[in-house]
Amino acid sequence: MKVLFIGGTGNISTAVSRLAIEKGIDLYHLNRGTRKVEIKGVKTIHGDISNEQEVSGALEKHQWDAVVNWIAFKPADIERDFRLFHKKTKQYFFISSASVYQKPVFHPVITESTPLKNPYWDYSRDKIACEEKCNQLYREHDFPVVIVRPSLTYDTEIPVAIGSWNDYTIVDRMKKGKPIIVHGDGTSLWTVTHSDDFAKGFTGLLGHQQVIGHAFHITSDELLTWNQIYEALANAAGTEANMIHIPTDFICKEAKKIDWIWMGGNFMEGNLKGDKAVSVIFDNTKIKTFVPEFKATIPFSEGIKRTLQWFEADKSRMVVHADYNRFMDTIIAAYEKALK
Ligand SMILES: NC(=O)c1ccc[n+]([C@@H]2O[C@H](COP(=O)([O-])OP(=O)(O)OC[C@H]3O[C@@H](n4cnc5c(N)ncnc54)[C@H](OP(=O)(O)O)[C@@H]3O)[C@@H](O)[C@H]2O)c1
C-alpha cells in the first residue's frame, strides 16, 4: 500500500508511522519538517498543508491507497482535502476526537453510535462539523471517508487533565512536593491509551475493504480513576502526588477569569466538563470486530514510565513553564481562600 500522512511526526502519528513501516507500507509524510523525528523508511514531502497551491503541485503526480490527515480541525480543512484528494485516494481518514460524544453524558458506556454533541468545547464542535462534512462528501460524492476518534492518547505527551501535555511542568511540580490539582474527588473514571496501542488498531484499518463511511474509536480497555492516573504518574517520576481536590465547577469558574494563558478563559470548561471530568467507558467492540488483532496491552503504569524516560533522555524536552505553574497556583489560592 502507498499511504500519505499529513503530519506524521506527532504524539500519536509517530507511533502509527513506525508500525506502518514495520508492516511494509510505502509511507509518505507531508509536513513542514520542523519536528526532528527520525522514522526510518518514510519519504517526506515538505510543505505546509494550509498552503493549498504549494502542496497541490507537490502531490499532483501521486495516487494513494490511503490518505490520513492528522491535523484537520475545521470543515474548511476537509473541503480543501476533498479538492486535493478526490479520485486520488481509495481511503481518506479524518482524525476526529472522542470528545465529540454527547455531553452531558446520558449513558456511561460509549459506542460509536453514542450521539455527538458537546456544548462545552468549541474544539469538539468543530470536529463534529468536520465529521458532518466528511459524511456529506461521502454520500454525495463517494469521497472514501473513514472517521477515527482517539481519546486521550499519549507517547511524547503527559496525559493529565490540568497542568501540561507537551512539557515537564506537572512532573517538576510533583517532584518539588507542590500541590497538583485533581478535579472533583478524583474518582471519576477515565481511559488513557498509549500511541503504540492505538497504532495497532489504526493500521488495521488502512486498506481494509469494509471500513468506508464508518467511524471508530480506538482506546485501551484499562479503566482508571483520575486519582490512580496521578498516582501512576508520580510513581513513574519516583515521587508522590500531593493532590488537592477541587470541584470541576470551581476550577472552570476561576479559569474563566484568567486571560493571560490559553488554559484560562473557556478552555477548562471544554477540557473538563466537555471531556476529562466525565466518567465514560469506551466500548471497543467495533474496532475489535473490524481489526480482530487489536488489543491494547500497555497499562498506564508502564506506558507513562516510557514517556518520562523519553522526556528525561533530552534536557531540552524537560521544559517547565512558569505561567502554567502560575495558573495552577492561582486556582489553588482561590480555592483555599474560598474554603476559609
Ligand atoms: N492526543 C490526544 O489525546 C488526542 C485526542 C483526541 C484527538 N486527537 C487528535 O489527534 C490529532 C493529532 O495527532 P498527532 O498527535 O499525531 O499530531 P500532533 O502531535 O499535533 O503533530 C502534528 C503533526 O503535523 C505536522 N504539522 C503541523 N502543522 C502543519 C502544517 N501546517 N502543514 C503540514 N504539517 C503540519 C507536524 O510536523 P511539522 O511541525 O514538522 O510540520 C507533525 O507531524 C489531532 O487531530 C487531534 O485533534 C488527539
Side-chain angles (χ1 to χ4, degrees):
M1 276 192 293
K2 181 178 163 186
V3 174
L4 174 69
F5 285 1
I6 300 166
T9 54
N11 168 53
I12 309 181
S13 54
T14 297
V16 179
S17 295
R18 292 205 168 107
L19 187 58
I21 293 283
E22 215 178 291
K23 287 181 146 188
I25 287 172
D26 184 17
L27 183 65
Y28 287 68
H29 281 174
L30 171 74
N31 59 43
R32 299 162 304 175
T34 59
R35 296 187 187 214
K36 303 297 165 216
V37 177
E38 208 205 326
I39 305 168
K40 277 210 176 88
V42 173
K43 296 163 188 152
T44 301
I45 301 168
H46 287 302
D48 184 328
I49 189 64
S50 61
N51 186 340
E52 186 174 342
Q53 219 179 357
E54 177 198 85
V55 297
S56 70
L59 294 170
E60 207 171 21
K61 62 178 195 292
H62 294 278
Q63 285 286 337
W64 308 98
D65 291 298
V67 171
V68 183
N69 192 342
W70 292 93
I71 46 166
F73 297 94
K74 303 269 185 191
D77 299 337
I78 308 297
E79 284 163 0
R80 177 206 55 221
D81 289 358
F82 178 70
R83 291 191 293 275
L84 287 171
F85 299 113
H86 185 43
K87 302 210 188 298
K88 284 186 161 266
T89 185
K90 292 181 193 154
Q91 291 181 318
Y92 169 80
F93 286 81
F94 165 58
I95 306 300
S96 183
S97 160
S99 67
V100 296
Y101 290 123
Q102 185 183 53
K103 307 287 174 336
V105 71
F106 288 164
H107 192 286
V109 177
I110 304 296
T111 71
E112 284 79 355
S113 54
T114 297
L116 308 189
K117 179 183 174 172
N118 194 329
Y120 301 115
W121 209 358
D122 51 358
Y123 159 77
S124 315
R125 288 195 295 277
D126 287 343
K127 288 282 190 184
I128 292 171
C130 288
E131 289 201 18
E132 282 168 356
K133 179 52 67 185
C134 282
N135 289 331
Q136 182 211 335
L137 292 171
Y138 167 56
R139 290 192 184 113
E140 293 175 11
H141 301 280
D142 267 329
F143 195 41
V145 165
V146 186
I147 293 167
V148 175
R149 302 172 182 144
S151 189
L152 191 57
T153 306
Y154 70 102
D155 179 8
T156 53
E157 291 182 7
I158 299 171
V160 290
I162 303 166
S164 54
W165 288 273
N166 293 310
D167 58 278
Y168 200 70
T169 310
I170 190 87
V171 178
D172 181 69
R173 233 183 131 80
M174 282 179 165
K175 286 186 170 174
K176 289 181 173 148
K178 288 188 188 167
I180 55 147
I181 303 171
V182 180
H183 56 271
D185 66 0
T187 62
S188 61
L189 298 174
W190 192 247
T191 295
V192 272
T193 305
H194 195 281
S195 300
D196 285 351
D197 276 337
F198 177 92
K200 289 186 250 171
F202 188 86
T203 53
L205 298 174
L206 292 171
H208 195 301
Q209 219 182 346
Q210 298 179 310
V211 295
I212 307 286
H214 280 270
F216 299 87
H217 51 245
I218 304 173
T219 79
S220 167
D221 289 326
E222 185 184 46
L223 205 51
L224 298 170
T225 66
W226 275 103
N227 285 337
Q228 289 168 333
I229 291 172
Y230 286 105
E231 275 161 16
L233 172 60
N235 183 48
T239 185
E240 280 181 17
N242 175 9
M243 298 185 219
I244 173 159
H245 292 98
I246 305 184
T248 298
D249 277 340
F250 188 92
I251 299 169
C252 295
K253 198 162 153 265
E254 288 305 312
K256 262 199 180 104
K257 298 177 193 164
I258 296 172
D259 62 3
W260 42 266
I261 188 174
W262 58 269
M263 290 177 189
N266 289 328
F267 179 79
M268 276 299 150
E269 190 165 87
N271 176 51
L272 295 177
K273 290 165 86 168
D275 196 32
K276 299 174 188 67
V278 183
S279 277
V280 288
I281 304 166
F282 291 104
D283 177 339
N284 284 294
T285 304
K286 187 171 179 183
I287 184 68
K288 288 175 187 167
T289 304
F290 283 74
V291 183
E293 68 271 23
F294 171 63
K295 189 178 186 328
T297 57
I298 306 169
F300 183 61
S301 56
E302 288 307 313
I304 192 62
K305 284 183 190 155
R306 292 195 212 169
T307 296
L308 293 194
Q309 275 162 12
W310 179 85
F311 271 94
E312 286 154 12
D314 180 345
K315 283 219 157 44
S316 71
R317 296 172 186 154
M318 296 169 70
V319 176
V320 176
H321 286 290
D323 50 352
Y324 296 1
N325 271 321
R326 188 177 150 214
F327 175 83
M328 288 182 264
D329 290 337
T330 304
I331 292 188
I332 291 169
Y335 184 60
E336 284 173 345
K337 190 170 164 218
L339 280 183
K340 274 187 198 141

